[in-house]
Amino acid sequence: MWSRLREVFARELVVLVDPTNPLHARRRKQLTASVGTMFTLGMAAAMGVAPRNAYDDPDAPRVQESMRLPDLRQQLAQLTDAEAGVYIRQEHMQRGDTIAALLRRLGVDDPDAQAFIVKNRTARALFDLAPGQIVQAEVDEDNLLVSLQVNLGGDAAASRELVIERVASATAAGDFSYKARVNTVDNDLRYEMASGAIDGRGFFKAMDAANVPDEVVAQMISIFSGVIDFHHDIASGDRFRIIFEAGFRDGTFVRNGRVIAVELINRNSLHQALWFAPEGGPGGYYTFDGRSMKRPFLRSPVEFSRVSSGFGGRDHPLHHQWAQHKGVDFAAPMGTKVFAAGDGTVDFVGQQNGYGNIVVLEHAGGYSTYYAHLSRFATLRQGQHVSQGEVIGFVGQTGWATGPHLHYEFRYNDVPQNPLTITLMEAPTLTGKSRQEFLSYTSSMLGRINALRTYNVLTAAN
Ligand SMILES: [Zn+2]
């Protein structure tokens, strides 16, 4: 089973991951188009056990994107034809927009409607729109507002839609009043695929070239945070492939959701992860043989971002001095977030000579971690519990430091270990009922990946 799954991914990789392959660009388009129709039903059902929001972890990075909508002119023209005398217009919210200015651009000249929007609590959600968001209005021949509709956002599975509607008055014929409501509408979940290779321009440029959205990149970094130190390990020649959810409403993109499957070939080692939510349990990422991707310690306790990724060169600056140094240095801009490498308690927070501002965490099993030269601390006190990934401070150059960097020590029974070379502590495989569920989930996944492959072979042959 595992070897078959791996085989399918491997075959797919040949074309998908090699941008120099002439079929690459064409095939990627076909995939993106086909994954939606082919995956939606089955996978949406499989995902039914998972919570609706894109991530379980409330602290996980979430990017509120303004919505990308396709050109609606054709659709609008049809609608306008259908109902004589009513015109549909759409406008982007602009920076510093007032309701009056927005309505004017929509061709609405309707003081009653405007007064309603300003007064009504629900309708006032219009005041919170971000620049770029799209507002649609139906306007009658007298430039009066018939209805107004705007997507307030949500996650990949559902969006909230504000609708303001003119309703005929019950008392006086020909008189109008307005009503506002927010509907929760289910999105169609589609599955998008992206792949690419990392070259000398770095990780983020490769993600941009493959059109992987930022919020999906952030998930990918988090998924592999227990096994890959993105600051030190990512190398030219690494390849990736990723399948993620995208929520659509009436054929219109709303937002991206969770990463469903991802693989990364890093320095010739293959890392693969699948999202899986056991019944009644929280979801998480698992290797194809059913081991949790979570590790007791992060490979890198420093935020990996566009800014920090290119900072201080891409070799291991002080790694070669490890014997004297007892730690690893992560060069990063001043103020970059420093994370607790694992769950633990604060053993020390304060100043120590050469270390400058330092946090020491104590972990289960005789492990402790040291974070030195910090510019400042998060709100921490001795004895406080911290969770893996929690921000404990910010990169600086206090103490004996020639430039901004994090000095990180990883100790076992107080003896410094080299965190770059310690053996990864693997999670045990799933057992019992969870394993059965995992197997049936992955085998249905295998079926879909196979279907995708067959589809490609067929279309490629045409
Ligand atoms: Zn150091």
Side-chain angles (χ1 to χ4, degrees):
M1 165 80 203
W2 312 123
S3 58
R4 274 180 64 210
L5 205 53
R6 217 164 264 144
E7 204 182 298
V8 169
F9 261 85
R11 264 188 310 223
E12 277 296 298
L13 273 172
V14 175
V15 170
L16 278 166
V17 154
D18 176 10
T20 58
N21 187 308
L23 283 177
H24 176 81
R26 197 179 140 212
R27 200 166 277 191
R28 240 196 66 199
K29 253 186 216 131
Q30 289 165 346
L31 274 173
T32 313
S34 69
V35 170
T37 48
M38 210 162 293
F39 275 38
T40 301
L41 289 176
M43 290 200 58
M47 304 301 294
V49 288
R52 274 205 143 164
N53 53 332
Y55 316 101
D56 290 324
D57 177 3
D59 297 329
R62 294 189 70 144
V63 178
Q64 197 76 42
E65 263 215 331
S66 62
M67 285 167 294
R68 289 185 264 146
L69 299 181
D71 192 329
L72 294 180
R73 270 173 301 187
Q74 211 181 352
Q75 214 176 318
L76 295 184
Q78 281 170 2
L79 283 166
T80 304
D81 286 346
E83 209 175 331
V86 173
Y87 303 88
I88 297 177
R89 308 221 173 94
Q90 69 170 36
E91 274 296 328
H92 288 84
M93 205 66 187
Q94 291 175 6
R95 207 167 290 281
D97 240 350
T98 61
I99 296 301
L102 175 70
L103 290 177
R104 202 159 43 236
R105 284 206 310 283
L106 286 163
V108 177
D109 179 12
D110 189 340
D112 289 350
Q114 192 176 323
F116 171 81
I117 292 168
V118 171
K119 274 201 318 256
N120 184 274
R121 268 185 75 175
T122 308
R124 283 183 65 89
L126 272 182
F127 285 93
D128 301 328
L129 294 184
Q133 273 186 275
I134 286 172
V135 181
Q136 288 182 13
E138 284 181 279
V139 182
D140 72 12
E141 287 166 310
D142 302 322
N143 299 326
L144 299 177
L145 185 69
V146 176
S147 77
L148 186 146
Q149 188 174 316
V150 58
N151 193 318
L152 299 176
D155 56 31
S159 19
R160 292 183 314 119
E161 214 167 57
L162 170 66
V163 179
I164 299 169
E165 261 178 331
R166 184 169 77 181
V167 286
S169 164
T171 48
D175 237 17
F176 299 122
S177 63
Y178 287 90
K179 276 195 173 142
R181 63 176 194 276
V182 174
N183 301 330
T184 300
V185 287
D186 284 342
N187 295 329
D188 300 322
L189 274 183
R190 296 187 194 167
Y191 294 85
E192 305 233 4
M193 185 177 300
S195 63
I198 293 157
D199 62 17
R201 294 171 305 154
F203 178 80
F204 287 97
K205 284 278 187 289
M207 293 296 148
D208 291 344
N211 293 316
V212 184
D214 282 353
E215 62 270 36
V216 174
V217 174
Q219 289 183 64
M220 181 175 169
I221 293 169
S222 160
I223 290 165
F224 290 123
S225 61
V227 292
I228 291 170
D229 164 11
F230 280 80
H231 293 271
H232 293 129
D233 294 345
I234 291 295
S236 194
D238 286 357
R239 287 166 291 160
F240 63 91
R241 195 156 85 93
I242 190 160
I243 300 174
F244 58 95
E245 296 173 341
F248 283 76
R249 172 91 186 119
D250 299 331
T252 292
F253 174 83
V254 180
R255 65 170 294 155
N256 294 303
R258 178 189 287 130
V259 169
I260 297 302
V262 55
E263 69 181 6
L264 176 64
I265 299 178
N266 173 236
R267 298 177 186 257
N268 294 322
S269 306
L270 176 61
H271 300 275
Q272 293 168 313
L274 281 176
W275 168 262
F276 171 64
E279 214 179 305
Y285 289 91
Y286 289 82
T287 61
F288 282 18
D289 59 354
R291 288 171 197 273
S292 169
M293 291 296 288
K294 274 219 173 227
R295 294 293 192 281
F297 295 100
L298 300 175
R299 294 298 280 174
S300 152
V302 178
E303 182 183 35
F304 183 69
S305 67
R306 280 176 197 274
V307 183
S308 65
S309 67
F311 196 83
R314 58 176 64 83
D315 54 345
H316 298 194
L318 288 168
H319 183 196
H320 57 283
Q321 295 177 17
W322 189 80
Q324 310 95 284
H325 196 85
K326 309 295 184 209
V328 172
D329 288 344
F330 293 86
M334 194 69 91
T336 303
K337 287 175 189 156
V338 174
F339 304 126
D343 295 346
T345 54
V346 178
D347 192 38
F348 181 85
V349 48
Q351 275 190 357
Q352 285 179 16
N353 268 344
Y355 282 136
N357 291 330
I358 181 171
V359 172
V360 178
L361 300 181
E362 207 170 271
H363 309 278
Y367 294 95
S368 54
T369 49
Y370 290 59
Y371 310 81
H373 309 313
L374 302 174
S375 56
R376 59 193 180 91
F377 305 111
T379 314
L380 290 182
R381 52 185 163 65
Q382 202 175 358
Q384 180 185 333
H385 176 86
V386 290
S387 305
Q388 184 179 73
E390 200 175 316
V391 176
I392 53 171
F394 302 88
V395 168
Q397 57 177 86
T398 54
W400 302 334
T402 51
H405 73 281
L406 176 78
H407 171 91
Y408 174 57
E409 284 181 31
F410 181 86
R411 297 188 181 187
Y412 178 62
N413 290 338
D414 217 26
V415 180
Q417 315 284 312
N418 185 342
L420 296 182
T421 56
I422 49 160
T423 325
L424 297 177
M425 290 167 253
E426 277 207 12
T429 53
L430 291 167
T431 52
K433 190 161 165 270
S434 294
R435 183 167 184 82
Q436 288 314 306
E437 284 174 32
F438 182 79
L439 287 174
S440 72
Y441 173 69
T442 48
S443 78
S444 76
M445 179 73 125
L446 172 65
R448 291 189 187 95
I449 292 169
N450 261 323
L452 198 63
R453 221 188 102 248
T454 314
Y455 174 87
N456 282 314
V457 171
L458 288 174
T459 50
N462 288 340

